[in-house]
Amino acid sequence: MEKKSKPPFYVTTPIYYVNDVPHIGHAYTTIIADALARFMKMDGREVFFLTGTDEHGQKVEKAAAEHGVDPRTWADRVVVRFFDLWKALDCEPDFFIRTTMELHEKGVQKMFRLLLDKGDIYKGEYKGWYCVSDENFLTDDVPASADGTKTCPDCGRKAQVVSEETYFFRLSAFQQRLLDHYRDHPRFVRPQSRMNEVASFVRGGLKDLSITRTTVKWGVPVPGDPAHTIYVWYDALHNYVTGIGYDRDPALFEKFWPATVHLIGKDILRFHAVFWPAFLLAAGLPLPECVFGHGWWLKDEAKMSKSKGNVLDPYVLLRAMGPDPLRYFLLREVPIGLDGNFSHEGFIHRVNSDLANDLGNLVSRALTMVRNYFQGTIPPPAPEEPDDAEIRKTFGEMKDRAVAHYESYALNKALEEIWSFITAVNKYLADKAPWKLAKDPALRPRLARVLHQAVAAIRGTAALIAPVMPGSAQKMWEFTGEPGRVRDVRFDTLRFEDLPAGRPMKEPEQLFPRVNLKEFLAEDAGTAKEKTMNEIPSPPERPAAPAVSEAPLITYDEFAKLDLRVAHVLEAVKVEGAKKLLKLKIDLGTEQRQIVAGVAESYAPEQLVGKKFIIIANLQPAVIRGVESQGMLLAAAAGGKAMIPFFEPDVPAGTKVK
């Protein structure tokens, strides 16, 4: 039976106002769209991903005048902020639409004429409270203050009374048709709480909508009546059809319209779930399958906005560690429909715990053992034993769940499934102890099987995280010896057992260096004034460990600054090319770390596995012989050799030493 092809997938972001400086909120929506687009391509679908900029309206007109240029020149100057940010975030839209494009203006005018001819647009006079900042008339339910004025509930600025001749869209005529659509398509607005909000608003009654201005000239002229300019919101919403070929490419438009999902911030829900579908109904066009109103990223529990001065510049984070950690954090931390409160502490914790410790260490230690024990090529392994088969089975089950979550836009749940599997693989390696198997030549086939399972797990994980972390996924894919692009993998044919034996592996590099919060914040504060929107310097090299010198007397308060902890050694290997150094993986109770210790002349690696000793846990990380060390163990120097004071086995890892 021939396999049925999957439907095309068309995802959009809102078009961003060109007068804004891009911040985490803009980045969030676009990263969601990019991750979904990448997933759907790997799921075997034809995909179109649209984003762009809204370049008309009173604010752009005013900003251009303040800078002594015409509005088009101003728009051309500032739109590059968005081009550059999407490139820096590894976002790859299929088309970037600007509302100043001729193809867009012609499409808007065609739609306007169509609705005018049908009687759904008519001329009249409008008087009401108008917010210049948001370019939007306030609804009647916004209360007046004691002095009789009204304040915009979105931006907090004073509104002004405007009276002018206008063209109206007959929104009131579509109230019942909208309610019928909501009833028949209960997932048209997501999450459900947003659908309830929209339906309640429409049931309360709809008034006809003013859609032109005579006081604003920077916009699309009304066809046949150039004294009127089409209202910026009516103009902007049509990008979703003009960007996909309306009035210029019928084949493209027919393939991808209606949109599969409009991704928007919840503050513009009414425009997309009430006004836009009414415009489409009037034009006789199919409605989008879903309007997904995602939550806000908050800072200090308040929505980020330029006017409030609390926006977070994504370039600060990109400069420090690149796009993948930021993409991962934003998509993992909260479900798409809920608000999230951004903190540097939470971000750094995710980077260090999930990326550096869990995934980064798995990749590093598994592939390093392949290199050390088999010269980078896994020979034919022994047959699977029950625990080996369990890892393979677990991957297949996890893949199916993760794919289902991706398909339903539950990106955080997909990542949770993947990370549960990463944890299982780390435990599998710890239990199988390949460093012990390596000591017995007779167990080499068994050693090969254990490492084969670990590398197969890394290969499969690379494919599954590719929609969210494309750069890191490609590196992992190449580390396992796979040719080509991980993005070309198809999930329905991705199998754990397809890793061949005897293929050379690439030497791994560190994927996610641990980040010190204090160091990061200090660098942020010191360079914020110097950075530019278009420059993203490479992450600075971490300083080497300071030399030890004779120390003066210190106070108890100074001593108390040291965070001394009991560490349990999980794994120990020699640092290649270094006679005295061992690389240790340690458990601190709440997290796992990697440290480098100069004890190789006193202890063989296998002597330290399972041992417990003291480390300084809050020492600034340092790179030693190309390997990052995230702490320092305490040892005595006796006769030129290191002597480590060990704890008894029953002392829990992570216990504070005082």
Side-chain angles (χ1 to χ4, degrees):
M1 184 176 178
E2 188 176 344
K3 213 173 191 180
K4 187 177 180 182
S5 62
K6 296 184 177 182
F9 182 79
Y10 176 28
V11 58
T12 71
T13 74
I15 51 174
Y16 304 110
Y17 204 63
V18 77
N19 221 37
D20 288 340
V21 174
H23 55 71
I24 289 290
H26 300 112
Y28 181 49
T29 317
T30 311
I31 289 169
I32 295 171
D34 185 75
L36 290 177
R38 288 175 181 273
F39 165 77
M40 294 299 174
K41 288 175 184 176
M42 295 179 72
D43 199 40
R45 302 196 195 194
E46 288 188 273
V47 172
F48 201 95
F49 164 25
L50 180 73
T51 190
T53 44
D54 180 1
E55 302 182 8
H56 288 141
Q58 195 169 358
K59 284 191 285 187
V60 172
E61 193 173 49
K62 182 180 178 182
E66 290 173 351
H67 288 83
V69 296
D70 63 88
R72 180 56 190 258
T73 300
W74 176 247
D76 289 344
R77 182 182 300 175
V78 298
V79 72
V80 295
R81 296 169 175 170
F82 292 92
F83 291 152
D84 291 346
L85 181 57
W86 302 157
K87 182 178 180 181
L89 286 169
D90 223 349
C91 293
E92 297 180 347
D94 292 285
F95 188 59
F96 187 104
I97 190 166
R98 302 175 61 185
T99 55
T100 50
M101 289 176 170
E102 184 179 9
L103 65 89
H104 174 74
E105 294 187 355
K106 284 186 174 180
V108 171
Q109 289 179 324
K110 178 178 180 178
M111 186 81 84
F112 191 99
R113 279 193 296 267
L114 174 65
L115 271 56
L116 185 65
D117 292 344
K118 291 179 64 177
D120 290 318
I121 291 177
Y122 63 94
K123 186 182 281 190
E125 185 177 10
Y126 186 84
K127 182 177 181 180
W129 290 95
Y130 182 72
C131 175
V132 174
S133 178
D134 286 346
E135 301 195 3
N136 181 34
F137 279 96
L138 275 57
T139 56
D140 292 340
D141 59 352
V142 175
S145 59
D147 61 1
T149 62
K150 289 192 175 186
T151 300
C152 176
D154 294 324
C155 72
R157 290 186 171 89
K158 290 286 187 181
Q160 58 191 47
V161 175
V162 173
S163 178
E164 60 179 332
E165 182 183 72
T166 188
Y167 284 86
F168 286 93
F169 172 72
R170 208 178 296 276
L171 183 63
S172 58
F174 292 89
Q175 179 173 336
Q176 191 56 50
R177 290 182 65 183
L178 288 170
L179 291 173
D180 291 345
H181 187 80
Y182 302 155
R183 180 198 63 217
D184 297 339
H185 301 84
R187 291 173 67 82
F188 174 66
V189 178
R190 294 174 60 187
Q192 184 61 46
S193 59
R194 310 262 194 268
M195 172 63 96
N196 298 339
E197 173 188 336
V198 167
S200 176
F201 172 78
V202 174
R203 281 194 295 268
L206 297 176
K207 294 186 177 181
D208 292 351
L209 187 67
S210 170
I211 59 169
T212 68
R213 302 287 179 267
T214 57
T215 54
V216 179
K217 297 304 179 186
W218 179 237
V220 179
V222 169
D225 195 351
H228 286 259
T229 300
I230 294 175
Y231 168 48
V232 67
W233 264 103
Y234 182 92
D235 159 12
L237 285 165
H238 287 77
N239 90 89
Y240 301 127
V241 293
T242 61
I244 203 68
Y246 176 75
D247 193 40
R248 63 183 173 87
D249 190 338
L252 182 69
F253 186 71
E254 184 177 349
K255 176 183 286 188
F256 286 105
W257 189 260
T260 313
V261 57
H262 288 324
L263 288 169
I264 61 165
K266 62 182 181 179
D267 51 329
I268 53 176
L269 182 64
R270 192 172 296 175
F271 293 99
H272 287 79
V274 181
F275 303 161
W276 176 230
F279 299 159
L280 292 169
L281 287 171
L285 291 176
L287 271 57
E289 291 180 22
C290 174
V291 176
F292 203 119
H294 66 69
W296 291 333
W297 275 100
L298 310 176
K299 185 70 171 69
D300 303 322
E301 303 298 334
K303 183 197 173 193
M304 294 182 201
S305 72
K306 185 179 176 183
S307 60
K308 293 178 181 177
N310 67 342
V311 297
L312 279 170
D313 184 351
Y315 279 95
V316 172
L317 305 174
L318 289 169
R319 186 179 64 253
M321 57 197 76
D324 281 358
L326 178 58
R327 289 172 64 109
Y328 174 77
F329 174 79
L330 293 178
L331 299 183
R332 173 70 192 272
E333 191 71 5
V334 293
I336 292 176
L338 302 181
D339 291 343
N341 193 52
F342 189 95
S343 73
H344 288 100
E345 291 83 356
F347 175 61
I348 298 303
H349 173 74
R350 281 285 185 196
V351 171
N352 289 342
S353 177
D354 295 12
L355 301 184
N357 287 353
D358 295 343
L359 179 57
N361 282 345
L362 170 62
V363 173
S364 176
R365 67 173 175 162
L367 294 173
T368 297
M369 284 189 282
V370 173
R371 182 177 178 81
N372 290 344
Y373 302 147
F374 295 111
Q375 293 73 52
T377 301
I378 301 179
E384 281 186 340
E385 294 185 3
D387 287 352
D388 311 325
E390 185 63 26
I391 283 291
R392 174 174 50 79
K393 179 184 176 184
T394 299
F395 174 81
E397 294 171 346
M398 177 276 295
K399 186 194 81 167
D400 291 344
R401 291 192 299 269
V403 166
H405 287 315
Y406 271 128
E407 287 178 334
S408 63
Y409 315 151
L411 303 183
N412 68 309
K413 290 185 178 179
L415 292 171
E416 286 174 7
E417 290 285 353
I418 296 166
W419 252 256
S420 292
F421 176 69
I422 291 169
T423 299
V425 179
N426 275 316
K427 183 178 185 303
Y428 167 82
L429 277 182
D431 291 345
K432 300 308 166 194
W435 50 91
K436 293 182 180 179
L437 298 174
K439 297 175 188 177
D440 187 346
L443 294 177
R444 284 182 67 78
R446 177 66 190 143
L447 173 63
R449 169 54 65 188
V450 170
L451 292 180
H452 185 279
Q453 301 302 91
V455 175
I458 291 168
R459 172 184 175 272
T461 298
L464 286 169
I465 66 169
V468 175
M469 295 189 288
S472 302
Q474 181 62 32
K475 289 181 180 179
M476 291 167 57
W477 189 249
E478 293 171 1
F479 291 164
T480 65
E482 284 285 359
R485 306 187 306 174
V486 67
R487 67 193 302 169
D488 294 330
V489 171
R490 293 295 172 262
F491 290 125
D492 58 355
T493 59
L494 175 67
R495 300 194 313 162
F496 184 94
E497 53 267 34
D498 284 345
L499 175 73
R503 184 170 63 192
M505 308 286 166
K506 286 186 65 175
E507 182 176 1
E509 61 186 58
Q510 191 175 34
L511 288 173
F512 307 106
R514 284 180 58 84
V515 180
N516 180 279
L517 178 61
K518 291 182 180 178
E519 178 185 329
F520 171 76
L521 294 177
E523 289 174 359
D524 176 18
T527 60
K529 293 182 180 179
E530 300 175 8
K531 68 181 177 61
T532 65
M533 291 295 295
N534 300 326
E535 295 178 351
I536 311 172
S538 300
E541 291 187 3
R542 298 196 177 279
V548 178
S549 61
E550 289 294 323
L553 293 174
I554 64 171
T555 66
Y556 177 82
D557 288 341
E558 290 174 305
F559 168 77
K561 293 178 182 178
L562 295 176
D563 186 12
L564 303 177
R565 299 278 175 175
V566 174
H568 178 209
V569 181
L570 303 175
E571 178 182 334
V573 296
K574 287 187 176 182
V575 174
E576 187 173 346
K579 183 179 178 181
K580 298 181 179 181
L581 300 180
L582 294 181
K583 181 172 67 173
L584 310 176
K585 181 177 181 182
I586 58 172
D587 180 15
L588 290 178
T590 58
E591 65 173 315
Q592 295 178 3
R593 291 192 190 178
Q594 170 181 285
I595 66 171
V596 176
V599 297
E601 292 183 320
S602 303
Y603 301 91
E606 58 270 21
Q607 288 180 279
L608 295 182
V609 174
K611 297 290 188 181
K612 294 181 179 180
F613 49 63
I614 304 170
I615 74 157
I616 303 175
N618 61 338
L619 187 69
Q620 178 174 274
V623 176
I624 304 171
R625 288 293 186 96
V627 181
E628 187 179 39
S629 183
Q630 301 152 0
M632 178 183 290
L633 70 82
L634 300 187
K641 292 188 175 182
M643 303 298 292
I644 304 173
F646 295 107
F647 278 87
E648 293 298 322
D650 58 347
V651 178
T655 300
K656 190 171 180 62
V657 179
K658 301 180 180 179

